[in-house]
Amino acid sequence: MLKPVVNQEICIGCGTCESFCPEVFKIENGKSGVIAEECGNCNCQEAVDGCPVSAISLEEK
Ligand code: SF4
């Protein structure tokens, strides 16, 4: 399985990932955090592709 990972040094807190997949991403203190180990609804590729600063990667668990 692939686990989404957010590079918080790059993230600008725009909320795009959370709007694509609120099950996995949550904005807190102006940064996106990953709140689920994996996504059951999508593979989060849309969030990866939609991030304006390419802060999200998918890593093998
Ligand atoms: S889409 Fe990218 S920049 Fe925007 S909140 Fe998510 S990780 Fe951060």
Side-chain angles (χ1 to χ4, degrees):
M1 291 298 280
L2 294 171
K3 175 180 165 51
V5 176
V6 174
N7 182 331
Q8 301 220 330
E9 292 185 10
I10 300 174
C11 173
I12 57 173
C14 69
T16 301
C17 54
E18 187 182 57
S19 66
F20 274 122
C21 193
E23 180 182 326
V24 169
F25 301 100
K26 183 171 175 54
I27 308 297
E28 280 182 327
N29 301 319
K31 300 283 183 180
S32 174
V34 175
I35 56 172
E37 274 297 298
E38 60 191 47
C39 182
N41 292 331
C42 65
N43 63 7
C44 288
Q45 189 62 51
E46 279 184 321
V48 172
D49 294 342
C51 177
V53 292
S54 300
I56 308 169
S57 56
L58 296 174
E59 299 184 359
E60 287 287 344
K61 289 213 305 179

